[in-house]
Every structure is written in structure tokens, then in C-alpha cells.
């Protein structure tokens, strides 16, 4: 259902499009495969109905696709030998591949050879955000699928233990600003979970930036020497709902992973985080609209268009 707020988000995102996004087009499939977007939306809706946690999984998958070789579906490729991008250590724990495959097989049945896996993934992430009660934004499409998916290309993904300067520069290399970093990393972590694996090192190191009471909560969920695969929410208070609680948590020393907490150590990032949790509504920044705009920007990283790449027949293999 379209509300005034939805309209404003759509308008704002459309209005703010930058240069790189201009290569893609709104409604790229409106003539060649009119049901493309609604099919992806239905498949995502069914998947989230079966498992609400899948929304976060799909959002993360799109990020990991975009940061290596651009948003070209390279993360989906799986050869017989496990030397693909998706098997790099920084991509451990990714999922949602079956949801993309399901949408692709339905689309191949209706419009063979038309809709790219890269677009399916970008649309699925967009729809996943909306399923989690986040903004629904207009997303330009027309991405083509890449043919390269080497594990070594994924060696420099942003890491949970990166310094603030390293995180900033990894985002800048992709054309993303400090504000995008706050919105896309901490902001996206408003939904989803992390394995204790990523939390234990900061607990073992007695990270002093963690709120002492929260430290005890985290320690009880992820005890020293315990199972590193146990999963805990990234946004402690509201794991399944897209809201600004994550920023409040970070303010209060309740960020779960280091790369979220560390943002608050930087003056510029702190100012940006604070802007989303002001009590004064008139000066409070609009998280939903800003997140949507950053997602459109991220979704345009290194895209292949026109005659570049290909339209894969199945998403986990090149043609
Ligand atoms: C500074 C960059 C980032 C770092 C270091 C980072 C790190 C992490 C880590 C360690 C996890 C837990 C993974 C697991 O245990 O399975 C995670 C989960 C997640 N990340 Fe990020 N992330 C970053 C940026 C992003 C971005 C840009 C997005 C999307 C726009 C994103 C979306 C997610 C989501 C939704 C989850 C939850 C996945 C689930 O529930 O399975 N992250 N991230």
C-alpha cells in the first residue's frame, strides 16, 4: 500500500540519483519482461513468510556481491572446485542463494534469457528491506551478469576488525561516503544476526567500549570457549524490524560487532549516527529515505551494462 511517506521516499531517491546510477534504468524490464519485479517480490515475500531471518540474509548477499567485481551476480557462481568468490573467508555464512535461484527459474520460464541474476539479487535485497518494514524504493535495473568469480578477488572485503580508516577507505574506493558507510553497515545491521565467532574476540579482549551490563549479556550468549556458530541479533532490541534502534544501541555501547561500535569513535560518524536518533523530530534525519538512497548507490557499484557480461541461464554458473 502506498502511503505519503512511501511516495516521499520514492520521489527523494529518484530526485537524488547521481552519475553512476544513470547507466541503469528504472523499469528496465517493463517491455521485455513486465512481471519481472513482481515475481521477485512474490518469491521474497514467500521466503520471508517461511523464515523471517531470510530478509537480512538477502540484504547481506547483495552487499557482498557489489563489493567484489561490482553488482554483477559474481557471488552466486559455484564451480566444482571450491575456489569461487563465494568461498572466500570474508563471505563465510552467506545464504539466500536458493531464493535467488527460485526467482530465476520462475523468470526463465516466463521470459527466458532476459532478467539478469545481478538484478534479481538487487531487487531481492530491495524487497527484503521492505518485508522487514523498511523503505520500499524505486530501483534502477539493467545490470548484466559477470563471468569472473575468483576467490582471490574477495580478499579485501570490509572486515569486522578493520580500523575506522580502513573501513572508510574501502567504502570510498567504491564511491561510497562516510554517511553511506554509517547507513549501509550499521544501518543494515538493524536486521539480522551474527555468529558468536565475530563477537568473541572483543569479549575476550575485554573491549572497554562495550556497556558493562551489555558485556555480561553478550558473554552469557557467547561464552569463552563456547560454540562460535551460535547466532545472536546484531540489533539487540529489534532484530526483525527495520528501525533506528541500532543507532541508539551504538550510542549506548550496545553495538554487537566491532565494526558497528567503532563508528562511534569517529567524530564525523558520531555526528551522523546521532542525527538519526534525535528526539527533536524536525531536526532528526530520515533514516529510511537516506538508507534507500545509499542502497541505490551501492547497487550501482561497478555494474555491467549494454553488451558487457551476459544474462546467465542459471545463477550459479556462467553460460
Ligand atoms: C563495514 C562493513 C561491514 C562489515 C565489517 C560487516 C560485518 C558483518 C558481520 C561480521 C556479520 C555477521 C555475519 C555472520 O555471522 O553470518 C554481518 C551480518 C550482516 N550484514 Fe554486515 N557488515 C558490513 C556491511 C554491511 C552492509 C553494507 C550491508 C548491507 C547493505 C550489511 C548487511 C548485513 C546483514 C543484513 C547482516 C545479517 C545477516 C544474517 O542475518 O545472516 N552489512 N555483517
Amino acid at each position: 500500500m502506498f502511503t505519503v511517506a512511501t511516495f516521499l521516499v520514492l520521489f527523494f531517491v529518484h530526485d537524488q540519483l547521481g552519475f553512476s546510477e544513470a547507466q541503469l534504468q528504472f523499469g528496465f524490464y517493463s517491455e521485455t519482461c513486465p512481471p519481472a519485479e513482481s515475481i521477485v517480490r512474490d518469491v521474497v515475500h514467500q521466503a520471508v513468510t517461511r523464515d523471517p531471518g531470510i530478509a537480512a540474509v538477502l540484504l547481506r548477499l547483495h552487499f557482498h556481491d557489489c563489493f567484489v567485481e561490482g553488482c554483477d551476480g559474481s557471488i552466486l557462481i559455484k564451480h566444482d572446485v571450491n575456489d569461487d568468490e563465494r568461498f572466500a573467508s570474508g563471505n563465510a555464512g552467506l545464504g539466500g542463494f536458493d531464493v535467488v535461484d527460485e526467482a530465476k527459474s520462475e523468470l526463465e520460464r516466463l521470459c527466458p534469457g532476459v532478467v539478469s541474476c545481478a538484478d534479481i539479487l538487487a531487487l531481492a535485497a530491495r524487497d527484503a528491506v521492505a518485508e522487514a518494514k523498511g523503505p520500499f524504493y524505486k530501483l534502477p535495473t539493467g545490470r548484466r551478469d559477470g563471468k569472473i568469480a575468483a576467490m582471490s578477488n574477495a580478499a579485501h572485503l570490509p572486515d569486522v576488525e578493520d580500523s575506522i580508516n580502513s573501513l572508510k577507505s574501502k567504502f570510498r574506493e567504491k564511491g561510497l561516503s562516510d554517511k553511506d558507510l554509517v547507513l549501509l553497515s550499521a544501518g543494515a545491521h538493524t536486521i539480522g544476526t551474527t555468529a558468536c565467532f565475530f563477537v568473541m574476540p572483543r569479549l575476550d579482549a575485554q573491549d572497554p567500549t562495550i556497556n558493562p551490563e551489555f558485556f555480561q549479556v553478550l558473554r552469557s550468549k557467547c561464552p569463552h570457549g563456547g560454540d562460535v556458530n551460535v547466532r545472536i541479533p546484531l540489533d539487540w532490541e529489534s532484530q526483525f524490524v527495520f528501525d533506528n534502534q541500532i543507532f541508539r544501541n551504538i550510542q549506548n555501547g550496545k553495538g554487537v560487532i566491532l565494526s558497528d561500535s567503532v563508528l562511534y569513535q569517529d567524530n564525523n560518524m558520531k555526528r551522523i549516527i546521532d542525527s538519526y536518533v534525535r528526539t527533536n523530530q524536525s531536526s532528526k534525519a530520515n533514516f529510511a529515505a537516506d538508507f534507500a538512497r545509499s542502497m541505490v548507490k551501492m547497487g550501482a557499484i561497478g555494474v555491467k551494462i549494454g553488451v558487457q557480461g551476459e544474462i546467465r541461464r542459471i545463477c550459479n554458473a556462467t553460460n
Side-chain angles (χ1 to χ4, degrees):
M1 197 180 68
F2 272 78
T3 60
V4 173
T6 316
F7 171 76
L8 286 176
V9 168
L10 293 183
F11 176 77
F12 198 55
V13 170
H14 185 268
D15 198 41
Q16 298 285 315
L17 278 184
F19 172 73
S20 55
E21 294 90 346
Q23 303 166 323
L24 301 169
Q25 291 170 34
F26 290 109
F28 183 80
Y29 300 108
S30 59
E31 283 173 15
T32 51
C33 188
E37 297 203 15
S38 62
I39 284 171
V40 175
R41 198 170 314 154
D42 287 350
V43 169
V44 170
H45 176 70
Q46 285 158 23
V48 174
T49 307
R50 286 193 299 268
D51 168 15
I54 200 75
V57 173
L58 287 167
L59 176 56
R60 181 172 182 235
L61 188 60
H62 178 47
F63 155 54
H64 283 246
D65 183 32
C66 294
F67 265 62
V68 181
E69 290 278 328
C71 313
D72 68 346
S74 51
I75 192 72
L76 307 170
I77 291 176
K78 188 179 177 188
H79 292 105
D80 289 339
V81 274
N82 294 350
D83 60 354
D84 300 309
E85 180 184 323
R86 73 149 99 172
F87 298 108
S89 60
N91 286 327
L94 288 180
F97 299 99
D98 49 339
V99 180
V100 175
D101 289 344
E102 195 183 329
K104 178 65 171 171
S105 61
E106 180 65 4
L107 286 166
E108 282 301 293
R109 204 173 57 76
L110 292 173
C111 330
V114 173
V115 184
S116 69
C117 299
D119 272 344
I120 293 173
L121 183 47
L123 290 166
R126 182 270 301 265
D127 297 334
V129 168
E131 288 287 340
K133 312 248 179 309
F136 177 80
Y137 47 91
K138 255 183 109 181
L139 183 73
T141 43
R143 295 166 189 78
R144 289 172 63 86
D145 297 322
K147 298 181 186 178
I148 297 168
M151 186 192 269
S152 55
N153 290 344
H156 300 293
L157 278 163
D159 186 86
V160 75
E161 293 191 349
D162 279 347
S163 68
I164 184 81
N165 285 336
S166 172
L167 292 174
K168 281 182 181 189
S169 69
K170 285 180 178 179
F171 272 64
R172 269 191 211 137
E173 276 165 22
K174 306 289 176 194
L176 298 171
S177 65
D178 289 1
K179 186 172 169 182
D180 295 319
L181 169 58
V182 169
L183 285 158
L184 292 171
S185 63
H189 295 157
T190 176
I191 54 173
T193 57
T194 176
C196 280
F197 176 82
F198 294 108
V199 185
M200 282 170 166
R202 51 184 317 222
L203 299 179
D204 292 347
Q206 304 275 329
D207 184 337
T209 66
I210 306 177
N211 168 300
E213 280 165 31
F214 191 58
F215 186 98
Q216 295 309 328
V217 176
L218 288 177
R219 191 80 276 189
S220 70
K221 302 287 178 191
C222 303
H224 180 72
D227 182 355
V228 295
N229 296 310
V230 168
R231 299 196 70 84
I232 58 172
L234 283 160
D235 179 1
W236 206 259
E237 306 286 329
S238 66
Q239 170 191 351
F240 294 111
V241 185
F242 186 101
D243 59 10
N244 65 358
Q245 180 64 39
I246 184 84
F247 297 125
R248 235 181 273 282
N249 292 349
I250 293 171
Q251 267 185 337
N252 296 327
K254 295 180 178 176
V256 173
I257 54 174
L258 186 59
S259 56
D260 285 353
S261 300
V262 85
L263 299 177
Y264 213 61
Q265 309 299 317
D266 176 277
N267 281 339
N268 191 34
M269 306 285 181
K270 180 177 182 299
R271 192 183 50 75
I272 297 165
I273 291 171
D274 290 345
S275 73
Y276 293 107
V277 283
R278 286 201 189 111
T279 42
N280 181 344
Q281 292 300 322
S282 60
S283 65
K284 188 165 144 187
N286 187 332
F287 173 38
D290 291 355
F291 179 79
R293 195 169 46 232
S294 293
M295 282 296 288
V296 173
K297 246 174 115 175
M298 184 179 84
I301 295 173
V303 290
K304 298 174 174 65
I305 53 160
V307 292
Q308 297 167 322
E310 63 183 7
I311 305 296
R312 272 180 229 150
R313 279 187 289 273
I314 51 171
C315 290
N316 61 18
T318 53
N319 289 344

